[in-house]
Amino acid sequence: MTPPLRDQVAAAIQDGLVRASKELGWPGVDGVPIEVERPANPEHGDYASNVALKLAKQARKPPREIAKAIRERVRIAPPIAAVEDLNGFVNVRLDERWLAAQVDEIVRAGPDFGRSKALAGKRMQVEFISANPTGPLTVANARGGPLGDVLSSVLEFAGATVEREYYVEDTGTQFDTFGRSIAIRYRQLHGEQIEIPADAYPAEYVKDIAAEIQARDGDKWMKLALEEQAKSFAALGVEWVLREAKRVTAMLGIRYDTWFSQAEMMRSGYFDKTLAELRKLGKVYDKDGAVWFEASEAVDDKEGWVVVRSNGEPGYLGKDIAYHVQSLRDRRFDKKIDIWGSNTHYHLIQMRAAMQALGLLEKFEVVLYQYVRFLHEGVLKRMGRRTGQFLLLEEVIEAVGKDATRYFFLQSSADRQLDFDLELAVQQSNENPVYYVQYAHARIASILRTAAERGMNADGAETALLTAKGELDLIRLVLRFPELVDDVRQHYGVHQLTTYALELAGAFHGFYRDHRVVDEADVARSKARLRLVQAVQVALRQTLGLLGVSAPDRM
RNA sequence: GGCCCGGUAGCUCAGUGGAUAGAGCGCUUGCCUACGAAGCAAGUUGUCGCGCGUUCGAGUCGCGCCCGGGUCACCA
């Protein structure tokens, strides 16, 4: 367990503020949250707080005066060495002996470095990918994979109990169409002249599935009518798709806890139960033989959205509402976080309205990621299984490897659109920043090997020997890791982990150039630096571990 | 047209309202007779799309506009 350093600093400033307000009679400043940040300019210390600037108006005092009053009252004790006030900021400098001593703590914590209890006792479900089970995973569906998997890891690391869920939409029109598409291919394999309708899935894998059925069962299904075949084949097709999805997500290092079936949810009665509840709340009404959700409160130009179609079939929105209610109530999750593509943003508006109506809005969160396009014959294209245009996730993993694939998806914020050029990805895979980070880790392992070969280790290291700026700055950076974890579990910006990994690797490479670690002529210093190197190794491992990227000892 | 996302260095992108805007790639020049050169150092490139506003302070917040992408089914 490692409480973020900045929380300790903030608490010290808070204490100074409380005493200043008491002694000087400032009104109502006790409860104000203390914002603490790492200033870009090292002259401004290790941490800075803008609290005096924020309070100036309500305390009716100039910011500099408030900052000075706080500064005079902050207790100087490790980890804090000095407090200054400048331009209304309260700047804090860390005690360098304390800082150096942290390397022991970090190495001792090892796999627990950065772990917290912030979410202890919380049950959270993260649902991601959940692509329509009507075909193999593409690069477009794939983006949610690393995003959801890493977010899950971070939440677990912050103490939550997390379930990684893949929601299988094995009911509805698309599911039926899929079955029919397979049936048509199956009949073609048996020599029947039959055209592929416009709404069927045109891609090759549908033929593969039909061929697999034929290889196993021969013409056993030919005595059934097309619609009967379609029903059976839809289920067989989903089996095939899920087998593939499990295999390919495993290639990406993703393990789901649950593959939750929509059909099963429907059988559980939750759909009818939820519909009844909405009706009781006056949130649904009947019109044109369909059941509608009352939408006018949420969206101006819309009266309602269909939850049960006029043919009696439950609509997608209705099913999704029921599914969420079941997760949050019956399955007792404190929070359900969905990782969705941006094309569902209208669905998100609908779901928010529904969750609001049911009093579940605070437990419902969504990370929307922007679309992935791919470059095909020099032209950027959207992917769609219904158009038969897509780039398979498996092809990408095979071409550039698990680590580079994950890293690619995790580098930029979910809000940014990605364009994928497979040839460029292969060609540039050696330039992928992931190797830069992994190289730093391998280099550390190599240094530790070299030390061992020369009979040296970090046992009994005197950390007080770590006094150089390059050494202390590196420790400062390592200590940012717990703060980062805390940020990510609150704001879900998992891409920040890659930014940090890159920064830490770069800082280590710089340190390596300037400071010899293994030096038989100075064993004491070597021990201290070996300890520091171990601490960096811990932070790198932790970061890569959360990212699901391997941390190699050699490469 | 309404709503959502993006517009930051030549390219790809970081940048939780803070003090002088960063990284990787690219380009130029150096560095392996000390622990891994898949590395390091120095140099190079910016009207943060445009305008107005809020604020002690705006790349970050609000409004308007421009450009690119998405979305607005009794499909999912």
Side-chain angles (χ1 to χ4, degrees):
Chain A
M1 298 301 154
T2 319
L5 179 51
R6 67 171 172 214
D7 292 356
Q8 300 177 47
V9 173
I13 294 173
Q14 172 92 48
D15 180 60
L17 168 65
V18 167
R19 290 197 287 147
S21 80
K22 206 172 286 172
E23 289 167 31
L24 304 175
W26 297 340
V29 299
D30 297 359
V32 298
I34 306 292
E35 292 174 35
V36 164
E37 58 160 20
R38 300 228 183 195
N41 185 341
E43 285 174 24
H44 299 147
D46 292 302
Y47 288 94
S49 178
N50 59 5
V51 63
L53 291 149
K54 294 279 190 211
L55 285 175
K57 197 165 278 179
Q58 77 180 90
R60 303 172 66 94
K61 300 274 183 223
R64 286 162 200 265
E65 197 178 307
I66 301 172
K68 182 166 177 285
I70 295 172
R71 183 259 292 167
E72 287 166 344
R73 288 168 179 80
V74 174
R75 286 201 181 88
I76 305 298
I80 295 172
V83 185
E84 291 143 32
D85 69 275
L86 181 65
N87 303 333
F89 287 91
V90 177
N91 295 335
V92 172
R93 266 170 228 288
L94 295 173
D95 184 302
E96 298 190 339
R97 294 276 306 234
W98 180 88
L99 210 45
Q102 293 313 297
V103 293
D104 279 335
E105 303 299 323
I106 294 159
V107 173
R108 191 172 303 134
D112 290 328
F113 177 58
R115 198 180 290 276
S116 83
K117 288 181 172 160
L119 299 174
K122 297 278 181 211
R123 280 172 52 77
M124 302 174 105
Q125 179 186 79
V126 181
E127 183 223 315
F128 54 100
I129 301 187
S130 300
N132 243 324
T134 55
L137 295 178
T138 71
V139 171
N141 323 123
R143 190 172 185 186
L147 288 175
D149 190 40
V150 176
L151 180 57
S152 300
S153 297
V154 170
L155 297 173
E156 276 171 345
F157 201 54
T161 301
V162 178
E163 186 172 289
R164 289 165 170 82
E165 173 142 304
Y166 195 114
Y167 182 48
V168 181
E169 296 176 29
D170 51 359
T171 70
T173 309
Q174 296 305 321
F175 174 73
D176 296 341
T177 303
F178 182 45
R180 200 171 311 113
S181 304
I182 300 169
I184 288 163
R185 291 301 189 185
Y186 180 78
R187 294 175 94 90
Q188 286 179 337
L189 286 174
H190 286 89
E192 190 166 317
Q193 295 296 314
I194 176 169
E195 288 296 308
I196 305 287
D199 67 343
Y201 290 93
E204 286 297 309
Y205 66 83
V206 181
K207 281 190 204 169
D208 296 343
I209 297 169
E212 201 174 281
I213 293 171
Q214 188 200 31
R216 197 185 59 198
D217 299 340
D219 63 358
K220 168 181 153 191
W221 301 94
M222 282 305 284
K223 49 183 179 280
L224 296 180
L226 180 68
E227 283 311 304
E228 294 301 310
Q229 287 175 335
K231 271 188 192 132
S232 301
F233 287 0
L236 292 176
V238 168
E239 257 176 49
W240 184 91
V241 167
L242 292 187
R243 204 166 66 221
E244 286 296 296
K246 277 176 197 174
R247 187 175 63 79
V248 176
T249 50
M251 284 172 76
L252 251 197
I254 297 171
R255 292 184 69 93
Y256 283 95
D257 298 297
T258 44
W259 296 74
F260 193 79
S261 157
Q262 186 176 62
E264 218 165 279
M265 184 279 291
M266 291 304 291
R267 284 194 291 272
S268 76
Y270 248 86
F271 182 82
D272 299 321
K273 213 165 151 181
T274 304
L275 194 62
E277 182 176 351
L278 286 170
R279 203 177 279 284
K280 206 168 165 189
L281 290 166
K283 290 294 176 183
V284 296
Y285 61 89
D286 301 291
K287 188 181 144 196
D288 305 332
V291 182
W292 300 68
F293 181 86
E294 170 65 53
S296 52
E297 276 178 41
V299 181
D300 291 341
D301 60 339
K302 203 80 184 174
E303 278 180 39
W305 303 303
V306 168
V307 289
V308 181
R309 297 193 269 156
S310 54
N311 64 4
E313 291 289 321
Y316 174 63
L317 175 61
K319 286 184 281 188
D320 216 30
I321 295 170
Y323 163 56
H324 280 73
V325 171
Q326 187 178 23
S327 283
L328 291 171
R329 292 210 185 127
D330 193 48
R331 302 171 70 193
R332 300 198 324 283
F333 286 104
D334 299 303
K335 193 152 273 191
K336 175 159 166 58
I337 305 173
D338 298 333
I339 316 293
W340 286 348
S342 63
N343 56 333
T344 64
H345 109 264
Y346 191 74
H347 180 64
L348 172 56
I349 292 170
Q350 299 175 323
M351 284 300 294
R352 286 225 170 101
M355 293 295 107
Q356 167 91 56
L358 293 161
L360 293 170
L361 190 57
E362 317 76 55
K363 298 184 171 194
F364 170 62
E365 303 230 28
V366 173
V367 175
L368 275 194
Y369 61 85
Q370 293 298 307
Y371 223 79
V372 184
R373 297 181 300 179
F374 79 123
L375 202 64
H376 182 67
E377 289 163 357
V379 185
L380 275 173
K381 297 207 163 145
R382 285 199 49 189
M383 277 171 266
R385 285 198 289 255
R386 295 180 225 184
T387 60
Q389 293 263 12
F390 48 78
L391 175 60
L392 291 179
L393 172 57
E394 183 173 8
E395 292 179 65
V396 173
I397 301 172
E398 271 174 359
V400 306
K402 177 197 84 162
D403 290 342
T405 302
R406 286 183 74 107
Y407 206 91
F408 173 82
F409 283 118
L410 292 165
Q411 268 182 97
S412 45
S413 121
D415 286 337
R416 191 174 282 270
Q417 190 167 82
L418 286 182
D419 293 327
F420 206 99
D421 181 338
L422 184 60
E423 281 158 36
L424 198 66
V426 172
Q427 184 192 320
Q428 292 191 339
S429 67
N430 282 330
E431 290 165 14
N432 189 311
V434 73
Y435 298 108
Y436 181 84
V437 177
Q438 290 180 319
Y439 182 72
H441 187 270
R443 197 179 220 182
I444 288 171
S446 170
I447 292 169
L448 297 175
R449 278 196 301 271
T450 301
E453 282 162 18
R454 299 186 192 172
M456 269 195 253
N457 58 43
D459 292 351
E462 292 172 57
T463 58
L465 292 172
L466 299 171
T467 54
K469 187 174 183 305
E471 294 167 335
L472 295 169
D473 282 349
L474 197 51
I475 299 168
R476 288 180 168 98
L477 191 53
V478 169
L479 287 174
R480 218 173 75 195
F481 176 71
E483 300 174 353
L484 175 67
V485 171
D486 206 50
D487 287 340
V488 175
R489 66 107 180 144
Q490 291 184 74
H491 305 296
Y492 306 163
V494 293
H495 68 284
Q496 291 179 320
L497 288 164
T498 60
T499 310
Y500 175 74
L502 212 54
E503 201 178 338
L504 184 57
F508 177 75
H509 288 313
F511 161 82
Y512 173 82
R513 172 199 164 95
D514 296 335
H515 304 278
R516 182 165 172 71
V517 177
V518 181
D519 183 0
E520 279 107 329
D522 191 344
V523 174
R525 187 170 298 280
S526 296
K527 280 180 175 293
R529 287 185 176 159
L530 281 168
R531 182 67 85 220
L532 169 57
V533 167
Q534 287 175 330
V536 176
Q537 185 183 42
V538 167
L540 267 181
R541 259 196 198 144
Q542 296 296 81
T543 309
L544 289 172
L546 290 175
L547 289 168
V549 169
S550 57
D553 288 338
R554 298 173 203 271
M555 53 192 291

